[in-house]
Amino acid sequence: MENFWKDEDQVRGVWRRTTLESYRSQDPQWETILDVDALAIAENKNWVFQGGSSLPPEERLCLISLSDGGKDAVSIREFDSEAKSFVADGFYLPEGKQNVSWVDDDTLLVARDWGEGTLTQAGYPFVVKELKRAQPLSEAREIFRGEPTDVQTWPLVLRDSEGHVHATGAVRVVRFFEHEYVVFRPDGPIKLNLPKKAAIVGLASGRLLVELDEDWTPSGDISFAAGSLISYDLAEWKQDPQRAKASLVFQPGPRQALSDVGTTRNLLILTVLENVQSKAFAYKYDQGAWSATPIPLPQHTNVSLSATSDEADQAMFTVSNYLRPTSVWYFDAETQELEELKTTPTAFDASNHVVEQFQATSRDGTSIPYFLVRPKNARFDGATPTLLYGYGGFQASLLPSYLGPVGRLWLEQGNAYVVANLRGGGEFGPQWHQAAQGATKQTTWDDFIAVAEDLIRRKITSPRRLGVIGGSQGGLLVGTAITQRPELFNAAIIQVPLFDMLRYTSLGAGASWIAEYGDPAIAEQRAWIEAYSPYQKLVPGNTYPAPLILTSTKDDRVHPAHGRKAAAKLAALGQPYFYYENIDGGHSAAANLTEHARRLALEYTYASKRLCSEEVSGRD
């Protein structure tokens, strides 16, 4: 088994491995495969390891993605995990925003910048080429071309647990949440008959698996609901993809959503959210039907699938909640063995806190769940300093996870922390997301404000003691909160934010998110964006809660111009603010543990002074 490990001595991290038997022991013996800190020193780069893609089934050869300073753009280099060295004259792809898939040990499918006219407006590739070993990039053979108006295109290789390739092709991302799948066949490429809001997620038990994000009726006698998982008989699908019949694997019930999908040698492993808490199941296909067996992992936790085996019916899970250190569990479906292997060290004293789940009522009457982590002895007099965290976009779910440094820097001081599960996220499936897109994006901001008001109504906190925190889309969320209801908050931590929404499509990768927000170049859509864009809503005469704005010079996803413009606008208005721009870090605003620790120190020093200190009165 392998993992990627960081600590105070390895701030960039090491890729390492050990045996399952050794991992079970008190002192596992780890073998280092790649030391990224040593590589950074040797090459004088602030390398950030962005993962690797190993070639099945041996998984000896690996394509390593390395980012200089945390950018999304990476260079890709072939690595031999047995020799523990980069392959001499192996595959090498210079820095860029790119996607690559193995076909065999001498062939890759690559989407990248191939020269003028091969990137979309968002800066992503739309041309896929086949690259052979020892072949210069200039001689790679084009096999698929999307459109410049797409978000991006990436390669498709469908491979089973034994490493056999059953299809190759390409995926056009027409809009951020809409795909077109093309597979290459002897008689030419064909576009698959799938709805645009669908994703092929793998192969299991001789079945092709597809996740649906919209209702779909492929034929008159069958229909599937959004959020479902369906499957095709692989042999039938390969013979005629357009006429193969789909059958249901999983359909979510009320307040449910599919979370993780993974495959072992013979099984399908799913994790399912129910009211923002997780359950895991092993699915087996037999005699024409899927049957599900619950995996009895701890309840009232977030269960995520961390690894599966292609050689056996075994899986690893990460189990976490806000106050209990994260643990790693091993499951063997054949023996039904379920074992807690490891637990991360305790980072803070959680004995004085409790986790509760509440519901706030949004402007339109919808119940919005949120988790409150508070001191057990909270007096409910409005005096508890509280940080409210949210995201609410791109169908991303905020699930319980160990608070670690937040516990040490914030909770141990007797404070409270809140996580809001807003529409725009994915906690209750695609409908929860689609309720707050485009013309209805204000719904996300309404939900967040409703949670803030509920905290105040319950006297958990008060405007004097309430702060908001969020990054990226969450930074936009915080920006809308303090411009729409500045009187509710006395602190705002705005991390790598979107902020000027009338120009976001011209900054960084912004053009790729039109499906989430709308297009400001279209008058009707510009109107609904302008109604909330925080940059335009910073106006004279209002008092804002002196925000801390953090960004990164090397953020090539959300351009630092958003954060810079927010600070400049506040300065022009004579409003107080705090601003920190890390040179490295990319969209994380921190490239390694040292930089991350500095960022956390800044954030929680600021939060403590704004919300805990008696010296700060009002929003000064």
Side-chain angles (χ1 to χ4, degrees):
M1 58 181 297
E2 301 173 354
N3 72 7
F4 192 74
W5 178 259
K6 297 180 183 179
D7 57 28
E8 65 272 16
D9 298 318
Q10 304 281 349
V11 297
R12 293 174 179 84
V14 291
W15 179 22
R16 61 186 191 172
R17 63 183 164 220
T18 189
T19 64
L20 179 59
E21 291 71 27
S22 178
Y23 189 68
R24 283 189 170 110
S25 70
Q26 290 292 320
D27 185 24
Q29 299 304 299
W30 290 99
E31 176 188 6
T32 296
I33 304 171
L34 176 64
D35 184 331
V36 180
D37 290 83
L39 181 69
I41 293 171
E43 299 185 353
N44 194 29
K45 296 279 191 178
N46 192 6
W47 284 131
V48 176
F49 182 76
Q50 299 283 36
S53 172
S54 297
L55 174 63
E58 294 85 2
E59 299 194 340
R60 173 172 180 161
L61 298 179
C62 185
L63 297 171
I64 299 289
S65 295
L66 294 168
S67 165
D68 183 10
K71 294 180 288 186
D72 286 354
V74 296
S75 57
I76 298 177
R77 295 152 71 174
E78 186 178 6
F79 188 83
D80 186 325
S81 63
E82 294 299 324
K84 304 177 193 175
S85 62
F86 290 101
V87 176
D89 300 320
F91 285 112
Y92 171 70
L93 302 173
E95 183 180 85
K97 292 185 178 181
Q98 52 193 323
N99 286 288
V100 57
S101 294
W102 288 101
V103 177
D104 55 45
D105 56 2
D106 288 321
T107 313
L108 306 179
L109 297 186
V110 180
R112 58 168 287 115
D113 183 354
W114 300 103
E116 186 175 354
T118 62
L119 296 181
T120 66
Q121 182 186 350
Y124 294 105
F126 66 90
V127 175
V128 179
K129 295 189 179 186
E130 179 187 81
L131 181 67
K132 293 290 188 179
R133 184 172 294 281
Q135 186 179 45
L137 289 176
S138 59
E139 295 180 9
R141 179 175 67 92
E142 181 174 322
I143 58 172
F144 183 79
R145 178 176 289 256
E147 298 292 337
T149 52
D150 293 345
V151 173
Q152 62 177 311
T153 297
W154 62 66
L156 173 69
V157 177
L158 289 177
R159 182 181 269 109
D160 64 22
S161 61
E162 296 180 352
H164 300 138
V165 174
H166 292 274
T168 61
V171 185
R172 279 185 66 199
V173 186
V174 182
R175 288 164 60 84
F176 197 88
F177 308 103
E178 298 180 355
H179 309 86
E180 287 185 359
Y181 283 84
V182 174
V183 294
F184 306 144
R185 293 172 61 84
D187 54 349
I190 63 167
K191 186 174 78 170
L192 297 183
N193 177 30
L194 289 173
K196 283 191 165 58
K197 293 181 180 178
I200 294 176
V201 292
L203 303 173
S205 300
R207 310 283 295 180
L208 174 73
L209 302 164
V210 177
E211 186 175 351
L212 302 177
D213 275 354
E214 62 178 290
D215 295 340
W216 187 42
T217 304
S219 62
D221 60 345
I222 191 168
S223 62
F224 303 106
S228 296
L229 185 68
I230 63 174
S231 72
Y232 296 86
D233 178 87
L234 182 59
E236 180 185 350
W237 181 86
K238 287 174 67 176
Q239 185 174 359
D240 189 345
Q242 306 300 51
R243 296 187 181 182
K245 300 294 185 183
S247 61
L248 184 67
V249 181
F250 168 83
Q251 178 173 305
R255 308 294 275 184
Q256 279 190 331
L258 184 60
S259 185
D260 292 328
V261 179
T263 60
T264 65
R265 183 173 180 82
N266 300 298
L267 299 177
L268 171 63
I269 308 293
L270 302 184
T271 64
V272 177
L273 296 179
E274 189 162 339
N275 205 29
V276 205
Q277 303 197 48
S278 305
K279 296 179 180 179
F281 300 88
Y283 277 69
K284 183 177 182 179
Y285 190 79
D286 187 35
Q287 296 182 341
W290 291 94
S291 59
T293 302
I295 302 172
L297 289 157
Q299 296 183 333
H300 310 298
T301 62
N302 172 32
V303 174
S304 60
L305 184 61
S306 53
T308 56
S309 172
D310 288 337
E311 299 174 356
D313 292 324
Q314 299 169 349
M316 308 266 293
F317 296 90
T318 302
V319 176
S320 187
N321 67 20
Y322 293 114
L323 297 180
R324 187 168 66 186
T326 301
S327 56
V328 177
W329 291 69
Y330 164 80
F331 173 66
D332 187 322
E334 183 176 350
T335 64
Q336 291 299 299
E337 179 185 5
L338 183 63
E339 177 186 0
E340 183 177 13
L341 294 178
K342 293 291 177 186
T343 301
T344 56
T346 299
F348 67 100
D349 180 3
S351 63
N352 296 320
H353 278 73
V354 64
V355 179
E356 298 171 310
Q357 189 179 30
F358 291 112
Q359 307 276 340
T361 302
S362 194
R363 177 181 291 184
D364 63 1
T366 301
S367 292
I368 308 302
Y370 65 90
F371 289 98
L372 167 66
V373 186
R374 65 165 177 86
K376 293 177 180 177
N377 63 355
R379 297 191 301 272
F380 298 99
D381 59 359
T384 303
T386 301
L387 277 175
L388 169 58
Y389 175 71
Y391 187 78
F394 297 94
Q395 205 170 319
S397 302
L398 294 187
L399 306 178
S401 61
Y402 187 52
L403 288 173
V406 175
R408 183 70 176 270
L409 299 172
W410 184 249
L411 295 179
E412 278 191 352
Q413 283 64 53
N415 304 326
Y417 193 81
V418 176
V419 178
N421 300 117
L422 314 172
R423 282 174 289 180
E427 291 87 347
F428 299 107
Q431 298 95 330
W432 193 250
H433 168 227
Q434 292 159 20
Q437 271 184 279
T440 59
K441 194 63 199 169
Q442 177 62 39
T443 301
T444 303
W445 327 139
D446 290 343
D447 291 355
F448 199 51
I449 289 167
V451 173
E453 291 177 328
D454 200 62
L455 292 167
I456 294 166
R457 180 184 64 80
R458 294 177 189 271
K459 295 188 177 180
I460 292 162
T461 191
S462 61
R464 165 69 184 86
R465 301 294 183 185
L466 179 59
V468 276
I469 178 171
S472 191
Q473 147 69 26
L476 171 60
L477 173 69
V478 172
T480 61
I482 66 170
T483 52
Q484 294 186 15
R485 294 296 300 278
E487 77 281 2
L488 292 179
F489 312 105
N490 199 36
I493 299 173
I494 305 176
Q495 306 158 325
V496 289
L498 285 154
F499 213 84
D500 181 359
M501 294 303 291
L502 294 186
R503 294 197 64 246
Y504 85 96
T505 55
S506 301
L507 297 170
S512 65
W513 309 319
I514 288 173
E516 182 74 8
Y517 303 112
D519 188 348
I522 299 172
E524 178 189 7
Q525 298 180 22
R526 181 183 180 90
W528 75 54
I529 296 169
E530 192 168 16
Y532 66 74
S533 179
Y535 180 72
Q536 285 73 28
K537 294 301 177 183
L538 289 173
V539 294
N542 283 350
T543 300
Y544 304 102
L548 169 62
I549 303 164
L550 304 104
T551 187
S552 163
T553 309
K554 287 188 177 178
D555 190 344
D556 55 353
R557 191 181 313 172
V558 176
H559 198 284
H562 285 281
R564 294 167 183 167
K565 292 182 72 172
K569 186 75 170 284
L570 287 164
L573 293 172
Q575 294 277 349
Y577 68 93
F578 302 88
Y579 181 82
Y580 178 72
E581 181 171 323
N582 193 27
I583 294 174
D584 284 338
H587 197 48
S588 299
N592 53 58
L593 285 185
T594 302
E595 295 179 12
H596 184 62
R598 183 185 302 119
R599 197 194 85 190
L600 286 173
L602 287 170
E603 291 174 352
Y604 287 94
T605 298
Y606 161 85
S608 296
K609 288 186 175 180
R610 294 295 302 176
L611 302 178
C612 304
S613 173
E614 296 303 327
E615 297 176 5
V616 177
S617 59
R619 280 164 290 282
D620 57 359

